Amino acid sequence: MANLKAIRDRIDSVKNTKKITEAMRLVAAAKVRRAQERVVSTRPFANILANVLYNLLNRLKYGDVDLSLLKQRAVKTVAIVVISGDRGLCGGYNSYVIRRAEKRIKELQDKGINPCLITIGRKSTQYFSKRKISVKAKYIGLEQIPTSDDAMPIADELISLFLSETVDRVELVYTRFVSLINSSPVVQTLAPLNLQGLEPEDDEIFRLITREGEFQVERQTIEKPVHNLSQDMIFEQDPVQILDALLPLYINNQLLRALQESAASELAARMTAMSNASENATQLAGSLTMSYNKARQASITQQLMEVVAGANAL
């Protein structure tokens, strides 16, 4: 009976764990939807900003534009911004982006370039704080679905490092959202800016939908937002001054988009991890139930045999 009680207690424990993992999966799904809404809501501003920058550069391409954020210089030090999560229970999300950052660090060191880090997220901060590499700044405790208020101080720090020539290049290492079961750590150059391709050809909007009771991602390819403005348009200010004011906004927007992509990837990874945990809990509960039934049947059989043996003895 003691063995039966232990199995029964373990079945109850597994079922309670399944309730927790299922609740965490649904919470992550709701937050993915919110992240999706944030990305969509910030897109109109990003599109207009990219369009204005594109046309300003076209107007000035034959002139002498001397802006620090566009200036290419010999690369001696590179700031690598690593974007990870603050929490675990999201599969290999954090370890993948950390490994990608380590790979990039090694590539730079092999070329004789000095890397320094800016870590965003508790997991990358804890990991690289124990390594022999310079960490210029650490940012933890951001909103799980980042906003422009979260991105602004980080962007200001990155721009300051670049303009002061403390670093000659700024790169982002973050996780690009692909699907609920797939994410891809990528490296993107943030400074110096190269605005020849302001939006990638495969720019997409992702939407989390429910189909036949299952969560799925629907992707919609969008057209490039840049188009030529009227040639007779007159700027009240010098176009160089306008460009100088808009470039920091563009960097902030690019950083915000990377933060939001990373957040969506983390939440999707947590959804998948909790879904797998729930399935494993179901299988384990079924296996334990079968073991319990076998043990109970064996106990009943043994009791019957003892009763029969006692009756024969009489």
Side-chain angles (χ1 to χ4, degrees), residues 22 43 48 54 114 131 139 208 215 288 298 305:
E22 186 64 18
R43 189 174 293 274
I48 294 172
Y54 175 81
N114 180 40
R131 301 302 187 274
Y139 297 91
L208 182 64
F215 288 115
L288 288 171
M305 290 178 65

Side-chain angles (χ1 to χ4, degrees), residues 4-16:
L4 288 175
K5 184 178 184 304
I7 297 176
R8 190 164 57 244
D9 289 345
R10 193 176 177 196
I11 291 173
D12 291 340
S13 176
V14 170
K15 288 182 178 179
N16 289 334

Side-chain angles (χ1 to χ4, degrees), residues 11 20 28 37 60 94 98 108 111 131-132 138 167 190 203 207-208 213 233 271 280-281 310:
I11 291 173
I20 295 172
E37 291 170 359
L60 299 170
N94 290 308
I98 287 173
L108 294 173
K111 294 178 181 178
R131 301 302 187 274
K132 295 181 179 180
K138 306 171 185 177
V167 301
L190 193 63
D203 195 17
R207 298 184 185 277
L208 182 64
M233 180 174 290
M271 274 184 60
N280 291 339

Side-chain angles (χ1 to χ4, degrees), residues 128-151:
F128 286 109
S129 294
K130 301 175 183 177
R131 301 302 187 274
K132 295 181 179 180
I133 184 169
S134 172
V135 179
K136 290 285 186 183
K138 306 171 185 177
Y139 297 91
I140 60 175
L142 273 64
E143 292 289 335
Q144 193 162 24
I145 304 174
T147 64
S148 57
D149 291 336
D150 296 313

Side-chain angles (χ1 to χ4, degrees), residues 34 41 43 87 90 128 137 168 178 183 199 227 271 283:
R34 286 174 54 199
S41 65
R43 189 174 293 274
R87 304 175 181 85
C90 51
F128 286 109
D168 304 304
V178 179
S183 57
E199 291 290 337
H227 57 273
M271 274 184 60
Q283 294 177 1

